[in-house]
């Protein structure tokens, strides 16, 4: 079995420690039926460890680098440059070279490759260092491939990558690097596809950026790309930009920028049919990975090739649902003036004592109020409660209901769902009318609560093991009854 090189078909998402996030995702993409991925292989992190192990000069430089803060830009730049030079000049061991060559012989000698870095700290759920490591396109010949593999290893210490690791608390020694060697595709168009709108966060809107030639013009910001948005198989927005440049591959290797004619500049990069085809491919990839994806694609001979897929890390997490219907969730914490994320124990206890199901997302709890908004009775009860809890949430809910197209109305039979079932749909004014506006109620409640807590403290000290959990669960049920007692509601 290969130690230092491994083909895409042998890789899946469990191999991040060996081939980095980019390599692992390419392996996964290669497994999806109907998705075209240019062939290639990864040089594993074991090769990087081997060429950097037992190097005293590198150890000293890493010790020096670990002392710097983000404000030490000049020092970071000097030390990082020394590390890059050192790694580029390390001779690749024979056993590593032999495994790389064993994959290269499967390609034509004049085959062109994209050589790309794949870090173990890249495209993680809590951070994304995409774009900080180096990529080399249209590399031809074994000698050049090996040279640019070393350059990719060295790019782990670009100034931008080092500063990012310092900001996010990543240890420079623990981050490892794989290198992707992938057959080049020479596309007439390329771009980026987001399976959720990265601006609005709308999971139902798919967003596409497209430009002519290689995708580097778009990634590097050299051109304003075409922008398309698609929702449920329908193009809902198109912006055709003036694309003055395109990057194309040179015959003998490397790339160059070329000016586009005035006629081509304002031409729509993808046809409407191709846009819809790309949407279908994007949704298939999203379904495979189980979350919204940021996908790099290219178009060659009317075939779409996928050259990368990674999670969109900027989207706020949403509660999971069992259907594809529109849903409205409101934050429990914001109603209680608790805007920070909660720990798992706190979330669990809140869910246990809640009068209705609560859904977790982003370390916070939410309740589904879609049905409340669907009927006049439920909507009135909910908006009345929100006017007391959080006027901003109330304004947002009014905005949603006034749209008229987000929530499917339910028939009003007078028994629609209400926010708190124990109040039987009564408004705050109706509750007060029933129990009166007694000024002593607060003092009585405080006294009763203090007595209850003291009793609880005494009783809980006698419990241990499973009996302790039973006691807590029983107390939670008592707590629920107290919360929705008419005095408390008053």
């Amino acid at each position: 079995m290969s130690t230092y090189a491994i083909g895409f078909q042998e890789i899946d998402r469990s191999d991040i420690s060996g081939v980095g996030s980019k390599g692992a995702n390419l392996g996964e993409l290669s497994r999806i039926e109907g998705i075209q991925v240019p062939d290639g292989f990864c040089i594993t992190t074991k090769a990087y460890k081997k060429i950097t192990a037992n190097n005293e000069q590198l150890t000293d430089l890493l010790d020096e680098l670990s002392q710097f803060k983000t404000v030490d830009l000049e020092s970071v730049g000097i030390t990082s440059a020394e590390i890059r030079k050192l790694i580029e000049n390390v001779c690749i061991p024979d056993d590593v070279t032999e495994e790389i060559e064993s994959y290269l012989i499967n390609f034509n000698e004049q085959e062109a490759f994209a050589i790309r870095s794949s870090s173990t700290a890249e495209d993680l759920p809590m951070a994304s260092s995409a774009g900080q490591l180096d990529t080399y396109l249209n590399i031809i010949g074994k000698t050049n491939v090996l040279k640019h593999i070393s350059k990719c290893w060295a790019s782990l210490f670009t100034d931008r990558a080092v500063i990012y690791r310092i900001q996010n608390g990543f240890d420079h020694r623990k981050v490892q690097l794989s290198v992707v060697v992938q057959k080049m595709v020479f596309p007439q168009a390329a771009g980026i596809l987001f399976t959720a709108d990265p601006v609005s966060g709308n999971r139902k809107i798919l967003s596409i950026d497209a430009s002519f030639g290689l995708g580097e013009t778009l990634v590097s910001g050299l051109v304003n790309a075409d922008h398309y948005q698609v929702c449920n198989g329908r193009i809902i927005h198109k912006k055709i930009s003036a694309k003055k440049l395109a990057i194309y591959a040179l015959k003998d290797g490397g790339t160059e920028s070329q000016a586009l004619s005035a006629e081509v500049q304002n031409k729509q990069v993808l046809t409407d049919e191709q846009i819809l085809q790309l949407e279908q491919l994007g949704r298939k990839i999203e379904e495979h990975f189980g979350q919204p994806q940021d996908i790099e694609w290219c178009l060659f001979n009317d075939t779409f090739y996928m050259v990368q897929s990674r999670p969109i890390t900027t989207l706020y997490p949403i509660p999971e649902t069992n259907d594809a219907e529109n849903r409205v969730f409101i934050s429990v914490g914001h109603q209680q003036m608790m805007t920070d994320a909660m720990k798992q124990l706190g979330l669990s206890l809140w869910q246990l004592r809640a009068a209705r199901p609560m859904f977790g997302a982003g370390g916070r709890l939410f309740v589904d109020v879609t049905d409340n908004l669907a009927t006049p009775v439920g909507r009135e009860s909910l908006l009345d409660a929100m006017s007391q809890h959080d006027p901003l949430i109330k304004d947002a809910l009014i905005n949603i209901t006034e749209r008229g197209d987000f929530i499917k109305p339910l028939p009003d039979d007078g028994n629609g769902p209400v926010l708190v079932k124990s109040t039987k749909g009564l408004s705050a004014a109706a509750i007060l009318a029933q129990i009166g506006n007694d000024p002593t109620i607060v003092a009585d409640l405080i006294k009763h609560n203090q007595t209850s807590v003291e009793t609880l403290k005494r009783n809980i000290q006698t419990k241990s093991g499973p009996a302790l959990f039973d006691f807590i669960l029983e107390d939670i049920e008592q707590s629920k009854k107290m919360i929705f007692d008419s005095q408390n509601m008053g």
Side-chain angles (χ1 to χ4, degrees):
M1 183 177 177
S2 297
T3 301
Y4 303 115
I6 182 170
F8 289 167
Q9 298 298 330
E10 305 166 74
I11 297 170
D12 60 35
R13 71 184 82 185
S14 67
D15 296 318
I16 289 179
S17 62
V19 298
S21 297
K22 186 175 293 168
N25 289 345
L26 278 168
E28 283 289 332
L29 281 171
S30 300
R31 295 166 177 263
I32 306 174
E33 185 177 354
I35 300 299
Q36 301 296 322
V37 179
D39 195 15
F41 61 97
C42 294
I43 293 96
T44 67
T45 55
K46 290 182 180 179
Y48 173 79
K49 291 176 185 177
K50 182 158 188 171
I51 65 108
T52 56
N54 304 317
N55 189 316
E56 292 185 8
Q57 187 179 355
L58 178 59
T59 299
D60 291 342
L61 288 170
L62 288 174
D63 288 340
E64 185 178 329
L65 194 63
S66 65
Q67 303 302 313
F68 297 139
K69 308 295 183 186
T70 53
V71 294
D72 304 320
L73 296 178
E74 184 176 352
S75 299
V76 166
I78 293 171
T79 304
S80 297
E82 291 183 45
I83 293 175
R84 292 197 301 274
K85 183 177 179 181
L86 180 64
I87 292 175
E88 285 187 40
N89 290 330
V90 171
C91 182
I92 301 177
D94 290 342
D95 53 350
V96 177
T97 301
E98 287 173 6
E99 288 198 22
I100 294 171
E101 290 176 343
S102 71
Y103 277 93
L104 290 176
I105 60 173
N106 296 316
F107 298 91
N108 186 292
E109 286 187 5
Q110 294 304 307
E111 193 76 72
F113 295 95
I115 314 292
R116 310 163 74 191
S117 308
S118 180
S119 167
T120 55
E122 188 177 21
D123 303 330
L124 299 178
M126 63 288 195
S128 176
S129 55
Q132 293 172 5
L133 307 180
D134 288 343
T135 291
Y136 300 95
L137 301 178
N138 200 26
I139 306 303
I140 300 173
K142 181 184 74 174
T143 301
N144 278 330
V145 168
L146 292 172
K147 174 184 174 182
H148 285 86
I149 288 171
S150 293
K151 284 181 172 290
C152 277
W153 283 331
S155 77
L156 192 59
F157 294 93
T158 60
D159 294 4
R160 59 185 181 273
V162 170
I163 291 294
Y164 185 83
R165 289 199 295 272
I166 294 173
Q167 289 174 330
N168 288 275
F170 292 150
D171 188 330
H172 301 301
R173 293 181 180 83
K174 291 184 179 178
V175 178
Q176 304 295 327
L177 196 69
S178 168
V179 178
V180 174
V181 180
Q182 188 172 26
K183 182 179 176 179
M184 273 289 293
V185 173
F186 301 101
Q188 62 258 38
I192 299 171
L193 158 66
F194 297 96
T195 63
D197 183 3
V199 177
S200 69
N202 191 328
R203 267 73 167 179
K204 295 191 175 184
I205 294 179
L206 182 140
S207 178
I208 300 171
D209 292 324
S211 61
F212 293 113
L214 294 168
E216 294 307 295
T217 50
L218 192 154
V219 174
S220 60
L222 289 175
V223 299
N224 292 320
D226 281 5
H227 181 66
Y228 320 121
Q229 289 186 330
V230 188
C231 182
N232 296 326
R234 183 171 63 89
I235 300 171
I236 60 173
H237 173 77
K238 282 195 293 188
K239 179 184 177 183
I240 313 302
S241 300
K243 301 162 288 291
K244 297 182 179 181
L245 293 172
I247 295 179
Y248 293 103
L250 295 172
K251 181 180 178 181
D252 297 324
T255 61
E256 71 170 4
S257 297
Q258 295 180 15
L260 298 177
S261 66
E263 180 183 0
V264 174
Q265 285 179 20
N266 296 296
K267 183 180 178 182
Q268 183 172 315
V269 175
L270 298 179
T271 66
D272 287 1
E273 291 77 11
Q274 289 170 337
I275 293 170
L276 296 177
Q277 181 187 354
L278 196 52
E279 182 211 17
Q280 293 176 357
L281 295 173
R283 291 300 181 208
K284 180 179 287 191
I285 293 169
E286 178 184 58
E287 182 180 4
H288 179 85
F289 283 100
Q291 64 186 114
Q293 295 290 297
D294 168 359
I295 302 165
E296 295 177 23
W297 57 270
C298 54
L299 178 66
F300 175 70
N301 282 349
D302 295 324
T303 298
F304 284 105
Y305 291 87
M306 304 301 157
V307 295
Q308 176 59 350
S309 186
R310 51 181 166 256
I312 304 176
T313 57
T314 55
L315 294 176
Y316 189 85
I318 58 174
E320 291 186 9
T321 59
N322 295 323
D323 57 48
E325 298 298 321
N326 290 337
R327 294 281 170 186
V328 180
F329 294 89
I330 59 175
S331 167
V332 176
H334 282 75
Q335 297 174 61
Q336 307 289 339
M337 292 182 286
M338 294 163 38
T339 56
D340 288 347
M342 298 169 67
K343 295 182 179 179
Q344 286 299 320
L345 179 60
L347 293 172
S348 176
L349 283 171
W350 268 76
Q351 288 173 313
L352 279 173
R353 70 192 298 272
R356 60 189 289 166
M358 290 187 178
F359 304 86
R364 294 165 177 84
L365 291 173
F366 297 83
V367 291
D368 185 349
V369 296
T370 312
D371 289 346
N372 298 84
L373 294 173
T375 65
V377 170
R379 185 161 57 248
E380 181 181 358
S381 172
L382 176 60
L383 294 178
D384 181 68
M386 288 304 106
S387 66
Q388 301 167 61
H389 289 174
D390 192 317
L392 293 177
I393 292 180
K394 178 183 177 181
D395 290 346
L397 294 175
I398 290 173
N399 181 279
I400 289 171
T401 56
E402 288 179 346
R403 279 176 49 179
D405 63 345
F406 192 80
I407 299 170
K408 182 180 179 181
L410 296 175
D412 184 10
D413 57 6
N415 296 309
V418 294
L419 183 61
V420 180
K421 293 180 181 179
S422 300
T423 66
K424 299 178 181 178
L426 297 176
S427 67
I431 294 171
L432 288 173
Q434 281 191 3
I435 67 171
N437 193 13
D438 184 355
T440 65
I441 190 171
V442 176
D444 289 344
L445 283 169
I446 291 174
K447 183 178 179 180
H448 181 268
N449 184 69
Q450 289 173 337
T451 302
S452 176
V453 170
E454 288 304 317
T455 302
L456 179 63
K457 285 181 178 178
R458 289 195 303 271
N459 292 340
I460 201 170
Q461 289 175 2
T462 66
K463 309 296 180 182
S464 62
L468 175 60
F469 289 98
D470 291 338
F471 179 84
I472 291 171
L473 292 172
E474 182 181 343
D475 180 69
I476 285 172
E477 292 304 311
Q478 293 297 321
S479 173
K480 286 184 193 178
K481 294 176 181 177
M482 289 172 57
I483 289 172
F484 300 115
D485 176 82
S486 59
Q487 267 198 322
N488 273 300
M489 295 309 299

